[in-house]
Amino acid sequence: SHGTHGAGTIAAAWDGQGTTGIADSGLVKIMVLKVLGSDDGKGVSANVKDAIRYARDNGAQICNLSMGTLTYDQEMDQLIRESPMLFVISAGNGDAEGKGYDIDALPMYPASCTADNIISVGNLLFDGSLDESSNYGAVSVDIAAPGTYILSTVPGGYGFMTGTSMAAPMVTGTAALIYSCRTDLDLTGVREAILGSARKMEGLEGKVATGGMLDAWGAITWGR
């Protein structure tokens, strides 16, 4: 249900039923690559790397990674850094007690990787502040997006979920929307548009690099 929920946020059909994705499913396709297959949603980095290679080799352009680990993987870092894809990555959902922490001090990977084709995302509450479970970092986390009590698709219907895993697809969907209609922008330009148009929020100053939240309209009209 975790991946299905994210996919719905990105590109659920614009048909007036259920939920609606951010990107137009008539113009955007989801490449489904399941790498976290256990009942508790865990997996191994080798499978993630295989999926990244497969996505790269089969034409994917934007990669949503709603996952994280405290263990640094140099091969994965290099694989992301050398990829032509844009990666949107969840910042993580806090410590063992569910309290968000600064991943500049205690890195969460791959969100803390420093490649310039990454957007790392924190979980924003309805009032413009970070959810108490959301990780943050003035350097390592780029932007915040809605991620608390989000309604989207799950197998057999619809459901609410909370976490940076729900916030990242908000940014991924926006990136896909921009890339599908702004033919003047490459993926680097899409990243610049999303980060450059972030709406400044007092509660996000010093918490995320942009000091702001996702602004889909601002991003899609960036530079115009």
Side-chain angles (χ1 to χ4, degrees):
S1 58
H2 186 269
T4 304
H5 194 278
T9 297
I10 295 167
W14 291 11
D15 59 4
Q17 302 180 50
T19 61
T20 300
I22 295 174
D24 185 349
S25 59
L27 300 174
V28 172
K29 293 182 179 180
I30 300 289
M31 181 185 289
V32 180
L33 300 174
K34 185 174 182 178
V35 297
L36 306 180
S38 63
D39 290 340
D40 57 2
K42 295 181 180 179
V44 297
S45 61
N47 291 342
V48 178
K49 289 181 286 190
D50 283 346
I52 291 173
R53 293 186 185 98
Y54 181 93
R56 175 199 64 199
D57 294 344
N58 288 275
Q61 293 154 322
I62 302 168
C63 182
N64 186 93
L65 293 178
S66 287
M67 61 182 70
T69 176
L70 295 173
T71 303
Y72 175 69
D73 185 324
Q74 184 176 0
E75 184 182 15
M76 184 178 294
D77 189 349
Q78 183 176 356
L79 187 62
I80 290 173
R81 189 178 304 276
E82 295 177 352
S83 174
M85 295 187 289
L86 174 65
F87 290 82
V88 182
I89 304 174
S90 57
N93 302 316
D95 55 21
E97 298 178 352
K99 184 175 179 57
Y101 60 87
D102 186 350
I103 64 172
D104 290 346
L106 180 62
M108 173 65 67
Y109 299 105
S112 294
C113 293
T114 59
D116 58 9
N117 58 339
I118 288 174
I119 301 176
S120 55
V121 187
N123 170 12
L124 190 71
L125 285 165
F126 68 93
D127 64 359
S129 62
L130 284 178
D131 186 281
E132 64 179 2
S133 69
S134 177
N135 290 346
Y136 55 89
V139 175
S140 300
V141 182
D142 295 302
I143 197 169
T148 298
Y149 209 54
I150 302 301
L151 178 66
S152 187
T153 48
V154 296
Y158 305 92
F160 292 93
M161 291 188 179
T162 293
T164 57
S165 285
M166 285 67 248
M170 295 283 184
V171 176
T172 302
T174 300
L177 178 67
I178 296 168
Y179 197 56
S180 68
C181 67
R182 285 290 302 271
T183 56
D184 58 313
L185 295 178
D186 59 12
L187 288 171
T188 298
V190 170
R191 181 179 185 272
E192 291 174 353
I194 290 172
L195 300 184
S197 64
R199 186 181 303 176
K200 303 298 183 182
M201 307 289 289
E202 183 176 349
L204 298 178
E205 292 180 8
K207 297 289 188 179
V208 300
T210 60
M213 65 172 285
L214 176 69
D215 181 344
W217 176 250
I220 204 168
T221 58
W222 178 251
R224 290 187 169 176

